[in-house]
Amino acid sequence: MKVKELKEKLIQAGVIESCWSIPGHFKPFADWWLEQTNDGTWIMYYQEERGNKDIIKTFTSEKEACEFFYNYVTERYEKAKPYIGKGKDL
């Protein structure tokens, strides 16, 4: 899976777009982020309210990073659905 397909799959899965940020889909207040570093490494992290980054996992390939990101985000989003809009953090 590439970033473009990842974006399409997250939208199809119904994950609120403001919850995630990936290359080409920048959301400054997103919880979950996927970025490619200058050396080509991919990093997935959770960004706290104060901007602190909690690195979840790093990857050497876009395919592996996108697949992990999709599974991780959709799983946590499903668990958080009952609390969304009720003042609870994801």
Side-chain angles (χ1 to χ4, degrees):
M1 176 183 331
K2 301 277 188 176
V3 171
K4 183 180 179 185
E5 184 182 354
L6 171 61
K7 178 181 176 181
E8 292 168 2
K9 286 184 76 169
L10 287 167
I11 291 169
Q12 287 174 355
V15 180
I16 296 173
E17 293 185 48
S18 62
C19 291
W20 48 274
S21 186
I22 61 175
H25 183 83
F26 177 73
K27 298 294 179 182
F29 301 107
D31 295 308
W32 299 296
W33 292 70
L34 181 64
E35 294 181 355
Q36 186 175 26
T37 63
N38 291 337
D39 69 0
T41 302
W42 290 84
I43 298 175
M44 183 192 171
Y45 60 90
Y46 176 81
Q47 184 166 300
E48 299 173 358
E49 287 180 21
R50 294 185 176 148
N52 297 325
K53 296 178 182 180
D54 291 331
I55 295 176
I56 296 166
K57 194 166 181 178
T58 59
F59 308 90
T60 56
S61 77
E62 179 180 5
K63 179 182 185 288
E64 183 184 14
C66 290
E67 288 172 359
F68 182 88
F69 188 87
Y70 176 80
N71 291 329
Y72 188 96
V73 170
T74 54
E75 179 182 311
R76 275 148 188 84
Y77 183 76
E78 286 300 316
K79 288 179 182 177
K81 264 186 179 179
Y83 308 104
I84 294 173
K86 296 182 177 157
K88 306 277 184 185
D89 287 335
L90 295 176

